[in-house]
Amino acid sequence: MARYAQLILPSANRVYADAAIGLGAAELAAFSDAVLGGALSAAVATEIGGVPYLEFAAEALGPLETSFLANVSSMYALFELVGGLLRPLDLHRLDRYDDDLITIQKYQGKTNEQFTKLLLNVTLLASAFASEMLDRKLAVLDPLCGRGTTLNQALMYGYDAAGIDVDHKDFDAYSVFIKTWLKRKRIKHKAEYDGPVRREGKVAGRRLLLRIAPSKDELKAGRTQLLDVVCADTTRAAEFFKPEAFDVVVTDAPYGVQHGSRTAARGLARRPQDLLTAAAPVWASLLRPGGALGIAWNTFVAPREQAAAILTNAGLEPVETEPYLQFKHRVDQAILRDVLVARKPAAD
Ligand SMILES: C[S@@+](CC[C@H](N)C(=O)[O-])C[C@H]1O[C@@H](n2cnc3c(N)ncnc32)[C@H](O)[C@@H]1O
């Protein structure tokens, strides 16, 4: 057995405070169980040269294992421990664009980008498509997408990204951001749709549909990514997206604190659990069989059992086994955030 030490991204301690080590260990375990055949021992906190690391044991890690582990959200560097020395492993992340795609936007209500990556990873790892994470262009939906943190992470991985949010300001800000960013980076893209969407003569929402390719060659070869963003109430998502179109649905629900959840129809704050009850069946219908839904929410507004019951009623199967019970962490005084992942049963 070889021993390995993961250097945690320095920002993890700022984002999660005391929970960084526990969350990192749980995410490593999710990778180990889903795509590494359980090869990693449980990671534990350790200190090397006065710096905190996560340490675990495994049979020698090969290129496939490190290709997966490179994408762990808190991964800064990975070393093999050899005779008291650190031997660095080559890590090749999926990332196909500059990381300012994810970091440049700063606004109140943004979901931390590192946490967003964790949520996308652990949702994907719980799905039937975990082993395809590195090779297939998966389709990701964030049905409460705000200004697109999940969408940007999905694009970064080379996936298709779709989102819906009722807030016009968020929709406008994200549209301007992504179009400007793509132009500035000289990334090939084409707007296939950009404007209001009408249903039965009435404007039902607004939509930005971009086809993106990281290079001319990829564009020519048809290896493009779709970014599809809609401004509308999430309970109407099935009017905009095809049934079973997404491999994973990943979202950070309103926290019921500073900015409440809204419905376009009422323009009023809705309790997050009411929004979840109304939206969960719609989201479930958009998932492919074998897909998974991952949601982050504030346990002060709804206990885990309640959120799990809502997803169960929508026909999904909450993952209530380790390490999926280890993602709860404090964000601030008013928010104790947890992650709930639920699978859509695979077709027979
Ligand atoms: C926690 S924020 C998500 C932030 C996002 N992950 C980001 O980083 O920009 C929750 C989002 O839910 C949206 N929302 C609340 N109720 C909604 C509804 N009924 N339909 C669609 N979006 C809604 C809000 O506008 C807000 O952008």
Side-chain angles (χ1 to χ4, degrees):
M1 278 283 197
R3 286 167 58 228
Y4 295 90
Q6 178 198 330
L7 187 56
I8 293 180
L9 269 176
S11 55
N13 290 316
R14 180 179 48 75
V15 180
Y16 303 123
D18 300 341
I21 291 280
L23 288 171
E27 189 181 354
L28 277 174
F31 270 87
S32 176
D33 292 350
V35 289
L36 306 179
L40 311 191
S41 70
V44 293
T46 186
E47 223 174 72
I48 305 172
V51 178
Y53 286 78
L54 270 172
E55 186 183 332
F56 57 87
E59 296 295 340
L61 296 177
L64 182 67
E65 287 83 7
T66 51
S67 299
F68 277 112
L69 292 176
N71 299 296
V72 169
S73 67
S74 60
M75 183 64 72
Y76 195 32
L78 185 60
F79 302 94
E80 184 180 353
L81 293 166
V82 192
L85 299 176
L86 299 176
R87 185 180 73 83
L89 299 179
D90 269 338
L91 297 180
H92 301 284
R93 296 177 177 80
L94 277 172
D95 301 8
R96 55 162 53 192
Y97 302 109
D98 294 346
D99 72 355
D100 63 354
L101 168 62
I102 287 173
T103 55
I104 210 167
Q105 286 191 107
K106 305 250 186 287
Y107 50 92
Q108 206 197 352
K110 178 173 180 175
T111 309
N112 173 271
E113 49 263 28
Q114 201 180 314
F115 175 70
T116 300
K117 186 170 178 182
L118 179 146
L119 185 59
L120 174 60
N121 283 344
V122 300
T123 306
L124 195 45
L125 291 168
S127 77
F129 319 120
S131 62
E132 299 168 36
M133 175 179 186
L134 304 177
D135 328 298
R136 183 159 72 82
K137 186 177 66 160
L138 294 153
V140 177
L141 169 70
D142 182 344
L144 302 161
C145 67
R147 299 189 188 186
T149 313
T150 311
L151 310 185
N152 293 338
Q153 181 56 55
L155 291 177
M156 196 69 165
Y157 271 176
Y159 301 162
D160 285 341
I164 184 163
D165 201 288
V166 74
D167 191 317
H168 285 264
K169 278 201 222 109
D170 282 350
F171 178 84
D172 289 336
Y174 183 60
S175 301
V176 169
F177 163 73
I178 195 68
K179 287 190 255 182
T180 311
W181 188 88
L182 289 165
K183 257 187 221 137
R184 196 160 53 77
K185 297 281 172 175
R186 298 175 186 277
I187 293 168
K188 302 273 159 234
H189 62 284
K190 197 173 127 208
E192 299 204 335
Y193 195 88
D194 190 359
V197 180
R198 292 195 165 70
R199 297 269 183 274
E200 291 158 9
K202 282 195 206 135
V203 174
R206 294 158 66 208
R207 182 171 220 151
L208 173 68
L209 180 61
L210 296 181
R211 190 168 287 282
I212 303 170
S215 69
K216 241 188 194 154
D217 290 345
E218 304 249 356
L219 188 65
K220 259 196 207 146
R223 285 194 296 270
T224 56
Q225 289 172 266
L226 269 190
L227 173 66
D228 191 356
V229 197
V230 170
C231 184
D233 195 288
T234 195
T235 54
R236 302 184 64 179
E239 295 175 36
F240 299 92
F241 304 111
K242 293 204 178 89
E244 303 186 356
F246 299 100
D247 298 296
V248 287
V249 172
V250 176
T251 205
D252 184 26
Y255 286 88
V257 203
Q258 299 122 327
H259 48 104
S261 36
R262 296 160 226 138
T263 58
R266 296 189 301 165
L268 291 172
R270 244 193 197 190
R271 293 188 317 154
Q273 56 271 55
D274 294 341
L275 173 65
L276 188 58
T277 306
V282 181
W283 300 346
S285 73
L286 298 174
L287 260 184
R288 277 177 72 191
L293 179 149
I295 182 167
W297 87 105
N298 183 6
T299 54
F300 287 144
V301 300
R304 186 179 178 93
E305 301 71 47
Q306 191 181 1
I310 293 171
L311 297 186
T312 304
N313 288 336
L316 301 174
E317 296 171 349
V319 182
E320 295 288 21
T321 48
E322 297 294 349
Y324 283 81
L325 303 172
Q326 298 299 331
F327 292 112
K328 196 192 259 187
H329 61 283
R330 171 75 67 173
V331 176
D332 59 31
Q333 245 191 335
I335 301 174
L336 184 60
R337 182 162 60 186
D338 201 357
V339 167
L340 185 60
V341 174
R343 299 188 179 103
K344 179 161 175 169
D348 295 327

